[in-house]
Amino acid sequence: DGGWGEFSNYSACSLECGGGTQERVRLCNNPEPQYGGSQCLTVEGVEQLEESQIEPCNTQPCPIDGGWGEFSNYSACSLECGGGTRERVRLCNNPEPQYGGSQCLTVEGVEQLEESQVEPCNTQPCPIDGGWGEFSNYSACSLECGGGTQERVRLCNNPEPQYGGSQCRTVEGVEQLEESQVEPCNTQPCPIDGGWGEFSNYSACSLECGGGTQERVRL
């Protein structure tokens, strides 16, 4: 009758992780069945000339490398104009790294569990409201006497309104790009030259005869 030999060494595991199998074999050769002798019997009572045993191996979980999830929506812009920034974020959770798996890699090759992207936004210039400049000097008086006027002007150029900014406001609250101020000048009366009025009638003659005189007057 046949008799079982020694088991061979176990084979290499079929997987490095996650649950593989390894196998060992023994032969019915100690001795081999001869002259009508029976084959070896397995534990189950089956006659065999070879028997294998299979065992689980490397049952530890395999490392799971992290994968990037979707980016979040962009945040609100940090400024309303003039060039702000907005940011969005993604997490290394699709899947998360487990069992010694590596974190996600950024474009620069850096391992991270979170990555943010920042981009410019609202790059349009901010509105600049106008501001009044200095008044110019007064112009020459329009008259030398008798009450003339002189004018000075200021412009809305300090700064000029730009990118939808408002014009300057006058004291009355009116939006203007130019404002003038008018002042009286040379208010003294003008010289008036005298002019002769009409002569009065002649007075009575100073004598009735012999040559008198009579007089008339004008102012």
Side-chain angles (χ1 to χ4, degrees), residues 101-118:
S102 62
Q103 298 178 20
C104 298
L105 292 177
T106 63
V107 176
E108 297 80 13
V110 180
E111 284 196 347
Q112 297 284 352
L113 290 176
E114 178 176 325
E115 181 185 38
S116 65
Q117 285 186 346
V118 178

Side-chain angles (χ1 to χ4, degrees), residues 31-32 93 120 144 210:
E32 291 183 359
N93 62 357
E144 293 184 359

Side-chain angles (χ1 to χ4, degrees), residues 123-150:
T123 56
Q124 74 281 3
C126 292
I128 299 175
D129 293 334
W132 287 118
E134 296 293 321
F135 273 107
S136 65
N137 294 328
Y138 276 108
S139 63
C141 193
S142 60
L143 297 175
E144 293 184 359
C145 60
T149 57
Q150 57 185 4

Side-chain angles (χ1 to χ4, degrees), residues 14-137:
S14 60
L15 296 174
E16 293 184 359
C17 59
T21 57
Q22 57 187 2
E23 184 180 16
R24 66 180 182 175
V25 176
R26 64 179 178 177
L27 300 177
C28 185
N29 63 358
N30 186 32
E32 291 183 359
Q34 296 181 63
Y35 314 120
S38 62
Q39 298 177 19
C40 299
L41 291 177
T42 63
V43 176
E44 295 80 11
V46 179
E47 285 193 346
Q48 295 285 352
L49 291 177
E50 178 178 321
E51 181 185 39
S52 66
Q53 285 185 346
I54 296 175
E55 293 282 334
C57 55
N58 291 344
T59 56
Q60 76 279 7
C62 292
I64 298 175
D65 293 335
W68 288 117
E70 295 294 321
F71 273 106
S72 65
N73 293 328
Y74 275 107
S75 63
C77 194
S78 59
L79 296 174
E80 292 185 0
C81 59
T85 56
R86 62 179 187 173
E87 183 180 15
R88 65 179 184 175
V89 176
R90 63 178 178 177
L91 301 178
C92 185
N93 62 357
N94 185 34
E96 293 183 358
Q98 297 182 65
Y99 313 119
S102 62
Q103 298 178 20
C104 298
L105 292 177
T106 63
V107 176
E108 297 80 13
V110 180
E111 284 196 347
Q112 297 284 352
L113 290 176
E114 178 176 325
E115 181 185 38
S116 65
Q117 285 186 346
V118 178
E119 69 172 21
C121 54
N122 290 345
T123 56
Q124 74 281 3
C126 292
I128 299 175
D129 293 334
W132 287 118
E134 296 293 321
F135 273 107
S136 65
N137 294 328

